[in-house]
Amino acid sequence: MYDQPRPHQAQPAMTFEQMLERVRYEGAYPTRERAEEAVRTVLAALGRQLVGDERVDLAQALPVEAALALTAQIPATEPLTGWGFVKDLAVRTGTSPAVARWDTGAVLAVVTRLAGPDLLARILRALPGGYALLFGRAELRQPQHA
């Protein structure tokens, strides 16, 4: 009885193992362990940037292990642009910006599928400029007029 999902709880569209295999394919990683490292580091970095309902709703769309990587992070006090996100990830992981960008693209391609178009649109509205490209989408923000 207790292992049955409640009717109002959304269940992730894939298991963590399936997510890792999908990221491994997207990123052309040689091992599952390398894909898991990318998933955990990118989701932790995203968890530092995403707040509010979008953070909660994304966590619900992810497999439990991925949701924990996202929500274990305390949101940053200074939001980063998309490029700032990549540079920060490179510094934190000790890799180059190119590797950090590659990892980000591989992980967020799968996150995009799990989130769906409505939640993704909300996430992109909540984040500073530059994230749409990281999620594999065109940047559709209107320029700010003074």
Side-chain angles (χ1 to χ4, degrees):
M1 178 174 156
Y2 290 103
D3 58 347
Q4 295 296 318
R6 291 185 220 137
H8 67 279
Q9 281 184 317
Q11 293 299 305
M14 63 178 69
T15 66
F16 189 60
E17 296 301 319
Q18 291 168 327
M19 181 182 190
L20 293 180
E21 283 306 313
R22 196 73 217 147
V23 169
R24 183 177 177 190
Y25 175 80
E26 291 286 340
Y29 296 117
T31 64
R32 185 185 156 283
E33 290 75 22
R34 177 64 184 96
E36 184 171 353
E37 178 185 331
V39 166
R40 291 188 187 280
T41 59
V42 170
L43 289 178
L46 185 60
R48 288 188 289 277
Q49 297 302 309
L50 197 57
V51 297
D53 289 343
E54 290 75 24
R55 177 183 171 110
V56 171
D57 292 347
L58 179 58
Q60 289 176 341
L62 297 173
V64 171
E65 299 88 340
L68 290 173
L70 177 82
T71 58
Q73 302 302 309
I74 296 170
T77 56
E78 286 292 320
L80 299 172
T81 64
W83 178 236
F85 177 89
V86 170
K87 290 191 301 186
D88 181 65
L89 184 61
V91 168
R92 288 176 185 269
T93 58
T95 61
S96 69
V99 170
R101 174 62 182 96
W102 183 268
D103 289 350
T104 299
V107 173
L108 295 185
V110 177
V111 169
T112 295
R113 286 190 201 100
L114 289 168
D118 294 338
L119 177 54
L120 181 60
R122 288 177 36 223
I123 289 169
L124 292 175
R125 282 192 301 271
L127 292 169
Y131 281 86
L133 293 175
L134 300 179
F135 281 93
R137 299 290 187 258
E139 185 73 48
L140 299 176
R141 292 180 182 259
Q142 295 297 320
Q144 299 286 329
H145 296 290

